């Protein structure tokens, strides 16, 4: 418990699970009031009771512009403004080149790229000067991960957004940074790894490729988002901060 974000208003998309949920807990514990979003009301309700206080859940899909309008209208009606935005919601689906369908491509770009763009653009009128926007990219943006061409391309787009928006928003003193997690132990792998053999192979790969030899925890990412959201990072903008146990650094 601390007070690094005392009185700050934050929005976290995909705040009901994994990295988003851990970040919501961190931000609330540092004095922030947090709006979390997620697609399913049931999961949102479970997350709200886990976080406990100073949190509101708003059901919605980040790729649906009307849902985003509803989210930000609620923030405006309840709090009047926004200081911190963590554009975190995203999906991971893999397919080898040669078997990529149009649906696979459209689905991942719709959520991971269009969703992030409009999540940020529609939040801008609510921002006070001096706010912080954090985008969740991935080491996939800079590594060749087998069968991940579409997912990794979406994350390269997200990393690029952070560069452009750093310049676009500098006159409003809004800092924009990207984080790039390595393998973090969250439910996202539920869809990717469908059987025990795949899970075993995945663990073996991690031991071999991550210098620290293990997955990261969602809270290890949340601590980094807190740093970028708070005044501790007041002279940092436009960066990609890796939280990857060294994976993309060697
Ligand atoms: P997760 O599946 O636990 O969380 C994803 C969250 O995004 C969920 O809350 C889900 O409801 C939400 N979401 C997905 N699609 C959405 C949509 N259309 N509208 C609204 N919400 C939506 O997984 P996570 O690992 O916590 O993933 C969070 C972010 O971290 C993602 O952008 C992911 O690409 C990124 N990431 C994760 C890892 C990892 O190893 N776990 C590594 C690098 C990057």
């Amino acid at each position: 418990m601390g007070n690094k974000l005392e009185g700050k208003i934050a929005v976290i998309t995909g705040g009901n699970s994994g990295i988003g949920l851990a970040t919501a807990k961190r931000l609330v514990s540092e004095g922030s009031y947090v709006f979390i979003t997620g697609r399913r009301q049931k999961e949102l309700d479970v997350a709200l009771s886990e976080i406990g206080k100073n949190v509101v859940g708003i059901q919605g899909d980040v790729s649906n512009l009307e849902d985003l309008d509803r989210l930000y209208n609620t923030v405006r009606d309840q709090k009047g403004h926004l200081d911190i935005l963590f554009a975190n919601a995203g999906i991971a689906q893999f397919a080898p080149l040669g078997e990529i369908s149009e649906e696979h491509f459209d689905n991942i770009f719709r959520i991971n790229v269009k969703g992030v763009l409009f999540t940020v653009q529609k939040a801008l009128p609510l921002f006070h000067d001096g706010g912080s926007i954090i985008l969740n990219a991935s080491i996939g943006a800079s590594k060749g991960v087998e069968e991940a061409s579409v997912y990794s391309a979406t994350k390269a787009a997200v990393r690029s957004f952070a560069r452009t928006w750093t310049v676009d928003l500098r006159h409003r003193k809004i800092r924009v940074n990207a984080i790039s997690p390595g393998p973090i132990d969250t439910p996202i792998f539920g869809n990717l790894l469908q059987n025990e053999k795949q899970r075993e192979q995945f663990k073996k790969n991690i031991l071999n490729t991550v210098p620290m030899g293990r997955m990261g925890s969602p809270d290890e990412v949340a601590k980094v988002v807190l740093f970028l959201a708070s005044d501790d990072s007041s002279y940092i903008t436009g960066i990609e901060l890796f939280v990857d146990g060294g994976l993309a650094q060697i």
Side-chain angles (χ1 to χ4, degrees), residues 5-10 27-34 54 84:
L5 300 180
E6 202 57 54
K8 301 285 187 199
I9 312 300
L27 268 49
V28 166
S29 80
E30 291 289 337
S32 182
Y33 190 95
V34 178
N54 294 335
I84 297 159

Side-chain angles (χ1 to χ4, degrees), residues 130-245:
S132 175
I133 296 175
I134 299 116
L135 312 179
N136 203 344
S138 166
I139 50 128
S142 41
K143 296 287 281 185
V145 178
E146 198 171 5
E147 300 189 358
S149 39
V150 178
Y151 174 75
S152 294
T154 67
K155 295 304 189 175
V158 170
R159 198 282 167 255
S160 173
F161 282 158
R163 289 198 163 98
T164 308
W165 297 344
T166 290
V167 188
D168 284 349
L169 298 177
R170 72 183 190 280
H171 299 299
R172 296 189 55 191
K173 300 186 170 51
I174 298 172
R175 298 184 295 111
V176 185
N177 292 293
I179 58 160
S180 275
I184 308 300
D185 197 0
T186 73
I188 211 167
F189 290 104
N191 291 330
L192 284 178
L193 309 169
Q194 277 153 2
N195 57 51
E196 200 47 45
K197 199 172 148 228
Q198 283 180 336
R199 276 189 284 274
E200 280 311 308
Q201 187 59 42
F202 179 75
K203 277 189 204 147
K204 228 195 239 161
N205 285 347
I206 288 191
L207 284 175
N208 289 336
T209 55
V210 179
M212 292 180 73
R214 63 172 176 86
M215 294 183 85
S217 74
D219 190 53
E220 288 179 301
V221 183
K223 287 187 283 188
V224 173
V225 180
L226 168 62
F227 168 67
L228 291 172
S230 79
D231 210 42
D232 286 348
S233 58
S234 54
Y235 196 51
I236 294 179
T237 192
I239 69 163
E240 175 178 19
L241 186 36
F242 289 89
V243 194
D244 66 349

Side-chain angles (χ1 to χ4, degrees), residues 13-21 37-40 43 60-64 67 86-92 110-112 115-116 136-140 151 154-155 179-189 191 202 215-216 218 221 243:
T13 60
N16 64 310
S17 175
I19 294 168
L21 175 59
T37 80
R39 281 168 302 179
R40 287 173 297 273
E43 277 88 341
D61 184 326
V62 288
S63 65
N64 180 318
D67 284 0
F86 182 29
N88 163 71
I91 58 165
R110 183 173 52 80
I111 295 173
N112 291 8
V116 168
N136 203 344
S138 166
I139 50 128
Y151 174 75
T154 67
K155 295 304 189 175
I179 58 160
S180 275
I184 308 300
D185 197 0
T186 73
I188 211 167
F189 290 104
N191 291 330
F202 179 75
M215 294 183 85
V221 183
V243 194

Side-chain angles (χ1 to χ4, degrees), residues 70-147:
R70 197 163 39 77
L71 161 68
Y72 292 124
N73 286 340
T74 310
V75 176
R76 194 192 54 228
D77 291 348
Q78 292 192 12
K79 294 292 175 184
H81 78 279
L82 187 59
D83 303 291
I84 297 159
L85 171 60
F86 182 29
N88 163 71
I91 58 165
Q93 287 165 1
F94 287 9
L97 188 61
E99 286 174 32
I100 294 171
S101 66
E102 187 177 12
E103 189 196 0
H104 173 86
F105 179 91
D106 286 346
N107 199 30
I108 310 178
F109 266 84
R110 183 173 52 80
I111 295 173
N112 291 8
V113 180
K114 176 187 166 189
V116 168
L117 168 59
F118 288 101
T119 292
V120 172
Q121 181 165 283
K122 284 182 174 289
L124 295 178
L126 282 171
F127 262 89
H128 277 168
D129 285 0
S132 175
I133 296 175
I134 299 116
L135 312 179
N136 203 344
S138 166
I139 50 128
S142 41
K143 296 287 281 185
V145 178
E146 198 171 5
E147 300 189 358

